[in-house]
Each structure stands twice: as C-alpha cells, then as structure tokens.
Amino acid sequence: MRVGRAVRVLTDENREELLKNTGEKRKIIVSIFYPSDEDIKENQKGFYIDLFTPCEEEFIKKFAGKKNMAGQQVDETYLRSIKTNTFNNIEISKREILYPVVIFSPGLGMDKDCLIYNIEKLVSEGFIVFTLGHIYETDFTILPSGEVLNKIDRIDDFTFEEKEQLIEIRKEDILFLIEELKVLNSKDEMIKGKLDLDKIGIIGHSLGGSAVFNAAKEDIRIKAVVMLDGSLQHFDLVKDIEEGKRMTTPFLNFRRGSIDYNEEMKKTIEFNESRTDGEEFKKRIIGRNKTLIGQIEGQKQLYEYLSDYKSFIKLKHSEHLTFTDWPVIYNQEFENNILSIKEAHVIISEITVRFFKEFLCGMRGSYNEFIDSGRCPLICSINKNGEVVNIKGGAVC
C-alpha cells in the first residue's frame, strides 16, 4: 500500500497570531497522510525531500554539511536519496470504510512530518494521520504556494515561561484542528467522508507531548494519547490532584532509555565542557538541572493524575531524537553505538500502532498482550519514579 500526502493551510478566525506581529489570524499548516491503492510503477520512488515540495532546496540547505554524532558530514547526495513510501496528492483508497484519525504535534523547531517512519506505519495499518505545523516556531515552514516562513528570532533561547506559552498555542492549534475535521470530512475532496470522528487519537513528541496532554485534558473527543519522550517539566498537576481531578483517557508515556538524573547530568557536562565555557556553560548546566528535576516531578504527577489505563515504558539505549527522523536525515545508523536506528523505529512504530489499535479501535489485547509477553526485551515498564519494573513475560532491563 502506498501512502498519499496532501497539505492544507487552515486559518483560525477566532485567534490572532501571537508569535509574530503580522496582524493576521492564526494559520495552521497540516499534512494529511492517507492510504492509497493507486498503481505506482515499481521504478517510481518516493523521496524524503518530496515532503518539502515545492521548496525542496530548503531541506538541503538546512542539513547538508551538518555533522552527525560520529562527526561525519551529511552529504547532499545522501539527503536526496532518502526514500519513503509517500507520494504527494495521489488518490485516496477507494475502499468504502471510515478511517480512525491520529493527530501529531512535533517537538520544538521540528518539521511537522518528522516521524515519517511512524506515520507510514500508522497509515499502512488503517489510520489517517494529520501532522501539525506550528508556524513561526518550526525552523522553516513551506506553504503550498512556495512561501517559506522562518522561525522567529531567539525561539531557541525561549525561557521556561515562554515555552509554556508555546504549549498553550499548540494546544489551541490541536483543538482547532479537531473542530475543523468535521469541515474537512464534509468538504475536502481528497478525504471527504473518510474520517471516523468517533475515533480520534493524538500523539506528541517533546514539547508536542505537553501540548497533546493539555488538549486531551480539555477535549473528550480525544480517545487515546501517546506521548513520545514528552516535556514533563511543563506538567503542573498539583492543584488538579488536590481537587480530585483526574484524566480517564488511555495514555502511553513512552520515554527514552536514559532517564537517570546523575547519568543525564554527567552526559550534559561532558557534552558542553568542550563546546562552551564561563557563563554559557553555567547557564546550560543550571538549565539542564531544572529540566531534569521538573521531568522527574512531572512524571510522578502524571502517574497520579491518570486514573484509567496508563502505560509507562522506555526504550533501552534510545535518546530524545531517536523518536524522530533526525537520525535517518543525519545518516546515523546506531544510537549509543548499540541500538540500530532502523530497529528502534520498527519498535516505536509497532508499539504506537498496537496502542491505538487497542485503545482507539477496540482491538482488545493488541497492546497489552504484546507488552506483557516480553517479546521485545528492549522495552521496559517503568513506574512513576522512572524505575524499571518487571514485565510479566519475564523480560527485565
């Protein structure tokens, strides 16, 4: 099965653009990924660079010449050769069925389609995926017209409070898209009549993880949540917990492999001591300390706040960006010289699909039986403190 992709630009007439003083209403750019049975010749390939149509060279400018974790430069020829199974604007499948919907919000600065490995797996398993481009905080956003919108100045140095404003804006973007799904399902010629609006799941990475959590708190139309190494330091649930408020939406908290405070601080110091000094070094260490402590506390609060099904797991040897396409773009074969990126992406995709199949589509046991079986020893169950607990199948990290 081929994956089709269409891009839409939506405008929320009820909100002003807050990140940039344009005087315009808030715009949201969305990629729609859907199944297609269009007959595409075997020699016709999809390429990653096509995700940046009609300004593909912006992708090359962004990554060519950059160095990966092994210190190797990313070659332009390699970037142009990365293959996908996705094709722009091909016809949607003619099957007379409704497709459950998954909405994705990326990490800060990341392109909306930066989990193409996961998106393609979801579509191949019968989902339609909407990815959200949060304009002016993504490194660059390409509109269908060919206009390129760059991120605002100093967003990489945003304070903790400013990032919380971004989370709020993203939450509103998500809620607006959910409302717009009804319009798209009735009027958009590509996907008209194809969306099962009673089955809406949501997935977020990093800052996007905080955004999807906040959206799920407010909108009961969201039936299942997957958070990929979310920014737990922005969770403040103390008051809600004290007031007896809880979330009953099934929730998967999928973390990177290393979540130990001492280990993470050691890595941060080693990474920065050869790159910065003086006040900049101090600033980064203090910032990382605050983030890690916030993540530890945020995980404890989240665990208590979720009162229905919750699964807290981690993927051994993985890092924050393992959950994205960045290791592929940077031509990086392994994480920590141990975990194959290809293997990691297969596992993450399998876990994500199984979770949505069970808790969004009602396929009982699809997720739980897989986790409990211990068939994937790289997956560890963790408790609210991030400590590893035994899996029923006997696999222990």
Side-chain angles (χ1 to χ4, degrees):
M1 176 185 289
R2 303 291 187 176
V3 176
R5 172 180 175 266
V7 178
R8 302 288 183 264
V9 179
L10 310 176
T11 302
D12 187 347
E13 298 293 347
N14 295 318
R15 284 192 294 156
E16 302 290 332
E17 177 55 63
L18 297 178
L19 291 179
K20 195 169 185 179
N21 187 21
T22 62
E24 297 177 329
K25 298 298 183 180
R26 175 69 173 172
K27 283 187 174 63
I28 300 155
I29 184 167
V30 177
S31 287
I32 308 169
F33 293 86
Y34 50 87
S36 174
D37 21 60
E38 187 167 317
D39 184 21
I40 296 176
K41 296 177 182 178
E42 282 300 316
N43 62 356
Q44 185 179 351
K45 304 295 183 182
F47 291 93
Y48 202 90
I49 195 171
D50 296 335
L51 299 174
F52 299 86
T53 300
C55 299
E56 295 89 344
E57 295 309 306
E58 291 294 324
F59 171 68
I60 301 300
K61 283 165 55 179
K62 166 68 179 175
F63 293 104
K66 297 288 182 67
K67 291 185 178 181
N68 61 20
M69 295 297 288
Q72 301 164 328
Q73 282 195 337
V74 181
D75 181 70
E76 178 179 334
T77 302
Y78 167 76
L79 290 173
R80 295 184 186 277
S81 71
I82 302 172
K83 293 183 176 64
T84 70
N85 190 40
T86 298
F87 298 83
N88 289 322
N89 300 312
I90 59 176
E91 190 175 1
I92 196 167
S93 173
K94 292 182 174 63
R95 295 179 65 196
E96 296 293 328
I97 63 172
L98 292 177
Y99 294 94
V101 173
V102 173
I103 296 171
F104 170 65
S105 178
L108 179 62
M110 310 273 312
D111 184 76
K112 63 186 181 305
D113 303 334
C114 67
L115 266 74
I116 195 68
Y117 74 92
N118 201 351
I119 293 165
E120 290 186 340
K121 174 66 173 177
L122 283 163
V123 173
S124 72
E125 295 286 344
F127 297 85
I128 287 181
V129 180
F130 290 78
T131 65
L132 275 164
H134 304 288
I135 290 175
Y136 299 125
E137 59 161 290
T138 303
D139 274 348
F140 61 92
T141 301
I142 296 172
L143 301 183
S145 64
E147 182 181 4
V148 179
L149 302 177
N150 292 309
K151 65 182 178 182
I152 60 175
D153 295 338
R154 63 167 292 274
I155 198 166
D156 294 331
D157 295 318
F158 261 27
T159 65
F160 186 88
E161 291 71 25
E162 287 173 319
K163 287 181 181 177
E164 299 216 311
Q165 181 191 26
L166 293 181
I167 293 169
E168 180 66 17
I169 292 171
R170 282 167 169 251
K171 180 202 74 176
E172 294 299 329
D173 288 349
I174 293 165
L175 297 180
F176 171 71
L177 174 57
I178 291 175
E179 199 61 35
E180 283 294 292
L181 290 179
K182 292 182 291 187
V183 178
L184 293 169
N185 202 33
S186 63
K187 296 183 178 180
D188 191 287
E189 289 304 317
M190 182 67 77
I191 58 172
K192 185 177 180 180
K194 293 289 190 177
L195 307 181
D196 188 342
L197 299 182
D198 291 324
K199 295 177 181 175
I200 299 175
I202 199 161
I203 182 169
H205 172 249
S206 193
L207 202 74
S210 294
V212 300
F213 170 75
N214 286 355
K217 281 181 67 179
E218 294 190 16
D219 199 324
I220 60 173
R221 289 174 294 183
I222 298 171
K223 304 301 184 185
V225 181
V226 173
M227 186 170 67
L228 302 178
D229 210 32
S231 298
L232 291 163
Q233 66 271 24
H234 291 286
F235 284 37
D236 185 3
L237 301 169
V238 174
K239 184 177 179 182
D240 285 344
I241 292 169
E242 289 175 348
E243 294 176 354
K245 297 177 182 177
R246 296 293 187 274
M247 180 188 285
T248 58
T249 309
F251 200 100
L252 170 59
N253 177 25
F254 199 171
R255 303 292 304 279
R256 67 187 182 278
S258 176
I259 52 178
D260 176 77
Y261 172 84
N262 291 327
E263 184 178 341
E264 285 294 299
M265 284 301 297
K266 180 173 180 278
K267 286 164 59 177
T268 301
I269 292 169
E270 290 174 350
F271 180 82
N272 284 287
E273 62 185 357
S274 61
R275 292 171 172 84
T276 61
D277 55 22
E279 287 302 312
E280 180 61 26
F281 176 77
K282 181 179 178 182
K283 175 184 174 183
R284 293 192 182 191
I285 300 306
I286 291 174
R288 187 59 177 156
N289 172 70
K290 180 179 179 180
T291 296
L292 289 172
I293 291 175
Q295 288 180 347
I296 293 167
E297 183 57 32
Q299 173 137 314
K300 292 177 181 178
Q301 292 178 21
L302 178 64
Y303 195 91
E304 187 171 352
Y305 184 71
L306 300 172
S307 65
D308 206 318
Y309 185 85
K310 57 195 171 193
S311 179
F312 282 42
I313 63 174
K314 73 171 184 175
L315 175 62
K316 285 179 69 175
H317 313 304
S318 62
E319 298 289 348
H320 186 60
L321 293 177
T322 306
F323 293 91
T324 75
D325 292 333
W326 276 46
V328 175
I329 293 171
Y330 278 93
N331 200 12
Q332 183 180 322
E333 294 185 34
F334 291 91
E335 201 72 272
N336 295 318
N337 297 315
I338 299 173
L339 176 63
S340 158
I341 294 301
K342 184 176 181 180
E343 181 182 13
H345 284 178
V346 168
I347 293 169
I348 294 165
S349 295
E350 185 74 16
I351 292 291
T352 303
V353 165
R354 285 179 172 274
F355 186 84
F356 282 130
K357 280 191 171 182
E358 178 156 349
F359 296 103
L360 188 57
C361 303
M363 296 178 64
R364 189 173 180 180
S366 178
Y367 177 79
N368 271 313
E369 289 178 6
F370 182 75
I371 292 296
D372 290 347
S373 70
R375 280 154 50 197
C376 183
L378 290 174
I379 293 293
C380 306
S381 292
I382 56 177
N383 61 20
K384 66 180 180 180
N385 299 316
E387 300 164 339
V388 173
V389 294
N390 289 3
I391 299 174
K392 292 179 182 178
V396 182
C397 295

